[in-house]
């Protein structure tokens, strides 16, 4: 079994376990009696920006024939790019026509045109793409009563875990009929609210950068003021007047904080809940929700089967701990450990991971900070020179020396979405 299949099986088992636990205790969903009503007279379809559309945007929307020459000369698979684009647009048109045939109003938006006015107009947001498109759609919906219901536009290529089951993509009209008839379960997913604190002038510069629609390559001519400093430097708290603001986007999966140039060490001070402030050097900080615990958080912290096997063999051979050291037993242990990394999407807790934590002599100070754990809130202060605070891998905000962030979860920030059975309802 390949490493990718191992991950897929482990995540699938973990998701089934979480779903089973929620069904037993009733958490994360609304009672069946309240399921029978989904207002969907006005539907906003959020379309995926295909690679072809991205290339057109980056080349100032030149003629198709000219773009084809450029891409083929570059070595891109132009034919595959065009075919994928056509399939995506055909799927979106199928969704739109299915809604219109039910007598519903439909508007379309892309990453470039999606805005608060359209969100306010609609009753339900319908992203068509994969998890990335779903995250884009969800990030701007601040109303906890407005549902976001996603379709995976290419179920034969990938599995959008935030989207409806595969059968819904293959039978769009049947899926909308089932939704209209109330054959689903409401589900709330917690999201991270980020509050920034810094000097008023610096706060004005903290504006979003869309990483998906820009040719975003950052190698600025800056130097890290801490590269040559003593590791025992005492950072002083700001004594000037500070200002705060809540970022306009909510993170459904994760918030990542770190230097934009990945080879540069990220210097961050962390406070977990009400604990001590801790100096850290690392490759960055990843803070996730329960929804995000099955993705990046899982990938950062999961144990590989062969690593577990090597540990079991060391215990068996060097420490005389008798155990079954077969590959199958190692896989079982790895899966059991990895499943504990995941937690329910409606959880009020966050999970944090300090990536590639650098520890030597005085660092971290104070000692005792766990590389990963769960928390009610996380506070971060930057001592970076060119860092970003990235929400759901999509939008980045500058997060440089002296800037603070408070990451926390509020019930009123949760996202309303739905769950449907994996099998056909008829």
């Amino acid at each position: 079994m390949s490493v990718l299949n191992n991950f897929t099986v482990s995540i699938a088992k973990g998701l089934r376990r979480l779903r089973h636990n929620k069904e037993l205790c009733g958490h994360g969903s609304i009672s069946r009696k309240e399921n029978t009503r989904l207002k969907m007279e006005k539907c906003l379809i959020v379309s995926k920006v295909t690679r072809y559309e991205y290339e057109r945007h980056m080349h100032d929307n030149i003629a198709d024939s000219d773009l084809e020459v450029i891409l083929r000369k570059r070595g891109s698979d132009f034919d595959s790019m065009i075919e994928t684009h056509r399939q995506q647009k055909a799927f979106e048109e199928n969704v739109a026509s299915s809604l219109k045939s039910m007598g519903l109003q439909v508007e379309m938006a892309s990453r470039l045109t999606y805005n608060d006015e359209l969100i306010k107009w609609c009753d339900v947001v319908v992203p068509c793409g994969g998890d990335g498109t779903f995250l884009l759609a969800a990030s701007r919906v601040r109303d906890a009563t407005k549902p976001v219901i996603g379709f995976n536009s290419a179920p034969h290529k990938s599995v959008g875990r935030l989207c409806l089951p595969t059968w819904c993509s293959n039978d769009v009209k049947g899926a909308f009929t089932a939704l209209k008839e109330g054959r689903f379960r409401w589900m709330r997913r917690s999201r991270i609210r980020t509050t920034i604190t810094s000097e008023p002038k610096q706060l004005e510069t903290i504006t979003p950068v869309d990483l998906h629609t820009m040719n975003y390559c950052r190698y600025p001519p800056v130097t890290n003021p801490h590269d040559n400093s003593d590791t025992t430097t005492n950072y002083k708290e700001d004594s000037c007047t500070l200002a705060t603001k809540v970022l306009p986007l909510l993170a459904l999966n994760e918030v990542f904080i770190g230097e934009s140039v990945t080879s540069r060490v990220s210097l961050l001070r962390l406070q977990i809940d009400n604990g001590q402030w801790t100096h850290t050097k690392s490759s960055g900080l990843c803070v996730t929700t329960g929804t995000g615990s099955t993705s990046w958080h899982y990938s950062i912290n999961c144990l590989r089967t062969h690593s577990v096997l090597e540990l079991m063999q060391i215990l068996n051979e060097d420490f005389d701990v008798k155990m079954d050291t077969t590959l199958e037993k190692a896989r079982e242990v790895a899966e059991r450990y990895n499943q504990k990394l995941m937690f329910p999407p409606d959880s009020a807790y966050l999970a944090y991971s300090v990536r590639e934590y650098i520890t030597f002599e005085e660092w971290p100070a104070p000692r005792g900070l766990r590389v990963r754990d769960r928390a009610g809130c996380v506070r971060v202060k930057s001592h970076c020179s060119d860092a970003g605070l990235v929400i759901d891998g999509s939008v980045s905000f500058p997060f440089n020396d002296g800037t603070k962030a408070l990451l926390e979860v509020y019930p009123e920030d949760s996202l309303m979405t739905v769950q449907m059975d994996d099998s056909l309802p008829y």
Side-chain angles (χ1 to χ4, degrees):
M1 186 181 291
S2 69
V3 173
L4 180 59
N5 285 339
N6 271 335
F7 283 5
T8 303
V9 169
S10 189
I11 290 175
K13 287 182 178 179
L15 290 174
R16 285 197 295 271
R17 178 175 58 82
L18 290 175
R19 187 180 304 171
H20 176 68
N21 291 342
K22 286 171 62 179
E23 288 173 354
L24 289 178
C25 65
H27 291 169
S29 60
I30 299 175
S31 68
R32 183 73 184 177
K33 184 177 180 180
E34 295 178 273
N35 280 346
T36 56
R37 176 63 176 165
L38 171 62
K39 185 179 180 182
M40 50 188 298
E41 280 73 24
K42 298 177 182 178
C43 303
L44 174 61
I45 297 175
V46 180
S47 66
K48 175 181 179 179
V49 175
T50 66
R51 178 61 183 271
Y52 177 71
E53 289 176 308
Y54 170 80
E55 293 289 354
R56 286 205 66 197
H57 174 73
M58 294 308 302
H59 289 87
D60 297 324
N61 294 313
I62 61 176
D64 289 352
S65 57
D66 294 334
L67 180 61
E68 180 178 357
V69 170
I70 293 173
L71 296 181
R72 288 190 184 279
K73 185 177 180 180
R74 191 176 70 188
S76 298
D77 188 345
F78 182 79
D79 295 328
S80 175
M81 195 182 299
I82 284 292
E83 180 59 26
T84 301
H85 172 76
R86 289 172 178 167
Q87 290 175 358
Q88 173 67 30
K89 297 308 150 184
F91 183 87
E92 292 168 6
E93 183 54 40
N94 181 27
V95 173
S97 60
S98 297
L99 289 168
K100 290 176 182 177
S101 69
M102 297 171 68
L104 307 176
Q105 299 181 53
V106 179
E107 290 288 343
M108 303 278 291
S110 71
R111 184 180 291 273
L112 301 173
T113 59
Y114 188 48
N115 57 45
D116 293 340
E117 185 177 345
L118 286 171
I119 295 172
K120 185 177 180 180
W121 168 82
C122 71
D123 298 318
V124 59
V125 179
V126 185
C128 294
D131 282 350
T133 309
F134 189 100
L135 291 169
L136 163 71
S139 66
R140 302 194 182 197
V141 177
R142 303 301 295 250
D143 187 347
T145 64
K146 182 157 297 188
V148 178
I149 303 174
F151 282 83
N152 186 5
S153 60
H156 59 289
K157 289 185 178 181
S158 64
V159 178
R161 300 187 184 280
L162 299 175
C163 301
L164 294 174
T166 298
W167 73 262
C168 295
S169 299
N170 297 327
D171 182 12
V172 172
K173 193 165 185 179
F176 281 123
T177 300
L179 288 169
K180 196 169 185 179
E181 293 175 355
R183 285 181 278 146
F184 63 88
R185 296 176 298 278
W186 285 115
M187 182 181 189
R188 289 196 179 274
R189 294 181 179 271
S190 299
R191 294 188 288 181
I192 302 173
R193 180 191 298 186
T194 305
T195 304
I196 297 294
T197 302
S198 70
E199 297 178 19
K201 288 184 178 180
Q202 186 174 346
L203 197 66
E204 296 173 3
T205 68
I206 300 177
T207 55
V209 175
D210 192 328
L211 302 183
H212 288 256
T213 56
M214 293 187 65
N215 188 6
Y216 195 62
C217 182
R218 298 187 65 170
Y219 288 96
V222 299
T223 58
N224 191 330
H226 304 290
D227 280 345
N228 300 317
S229 63
D230 189 335
T231 58
T232 61
T233 300
N234 292 319
Y235 298 106
K236 295 182 179 180
E237 297 293 338
D238 295 327
S239 58
C240 63
T241 301
L242 300 177
T244 64
K245 76 172 180 179
V246 177
L247 296 186
L249 305 180
L250 297 168
L252 178 58
N253 259 4
E254 83 281 318
V255 173
F256 175 77
I257 299 174
E259 289 280 4
S260 299
V261 178
T262 56
S263 59
R264 179 178 287 149
V265 173
S266 298
L267 282 78
L268 302 170
R269 296 182 67 201
L270 307 181
Q271 184 187 43
I272 309 303
D273 293 328
N274 295 317
Q276 289 181 286
W277 281 94
T278 305
H279 303 283
T280 66
K281 286 186 174 183
S282 69
S283 294
L285 173 73
C286 185
V287 181
T288 71
T289 62
T291 296
S293 68
T294 65
S295 52
W296 200 359
H297 175 74
Y298 182 90
S299 298
I300 293 171
N301 297 295
C302 70
L303 290 179
R304 275 65 171 178
T305 298
H306 283 86
S307 296
V308 173
L309 179 60
E310 290 177 8
L311 288 171
M312 292 170 65
Q313 289 172 343
I314 291 172
L315 288 170
N316 185 48
E317 297 170 6
D318 298 349
F319 293 88
D320 198 28
V321 179
K322 303 303 180 184
M323 63 178 63
D324 182 355
T325 56
T326 61
L327 182 63
E328 188 58 39
K329 178 59 68 172
R331 179 176 294 120
E332 180 184 338
V333 173
E335 287 183 356
R336 186 171 299 183
Y337 174 90
N338 293 338
Q339 286 175 13
K340 292 182 178 181
L341 296 171
M342 297 177 277
F343 57 103
D346 63 326
S347 173
Y349 287 95
L350 303 168
Y352 71 88
S353 302
V354 184
R355 298 181 65 206
E356 298 164 340
Y357 202 173
I358 299 174
T359 57
F360 60 92
E361 296 180 353
E362 294 86 2
W363 291 79
R367 296 183 180 279
L369 178 71
R370 299 184 59 151
V371 173
R372 70 166 180 86
D373 205 347
R374 296 185 191 175
C377 68
V378 177
R379 291 176 173 83
V380 189
K381 183 174 181 180
S382 173
H383 294 294
C384 299
S385 59
D386 185 33
L389 185 152
V390 185
I391 293 179
D392 286 336
S394 176
V395 179
S396 178
F397 294 84
F399 193 70
N400 294 319
D401 193 22
T403 308
K404 291 182 181 179
L406 169 61
L407 311 178
E408 51 193 343
V409 169
Y410 286 89
E412 59 266 31
D413 291 337
S414 63
L415 180 74
M416 176 76 84
T417 185
V418 303
Q419 275 190 326
M420 299 181 75
D421 293 333
D422 293 334
S423 58
L424 289 168
Y426 47 83

